[in-house]
Amino acid sequence: MNKKNFKVFRIYIVSVLCIVCFFLLENTTIIPELVQISEKGRYSGFPTFFLTGLLKYGLLALGIFNIIIMTFIIFREKRRNRLNK
């Protein structure tokens, strides 16, 4: 496996890990517990709920967009190589 293929493989692995982390955060009770603990504060847990939502959906968007962009780049490169030969 050459260096270029290893970099692409590594980006795909990071993307899949981001998506897996999203599903882990979605299906655990960590976030509701954090919100419940922070309800005693001034804003009744809204900042905690908002920030954890940003984290969750940021991980999902990062994972999906990395996969889409890398796939597009690979297809474009393969097409250029075919046209130049």
Side-chain angles (χ1 to χ4, degrees), residues 25-39:
L25 285 174
E26 185 73 23
N27 294 320
T28 60
T29 60
I30 293 172
I31 295 173
E33 289 175 4
L34 284 174
V35 172
Q36 195 173 37
I37 290 170
S38 65
E39 279 182 352

Side-chain angles (χ1 to χ4, degrees), residues 74-85:
I74 290 171
F75 283 144
R76 188 178 66 185
E77 185 177 306
K78 297 268 185 191
R79 185 174 172 221
R80 281 187 186 165
N81 288 340
R82 255 190 290 149
L83 291 175
N84 290 336
K85 287 184 180 182

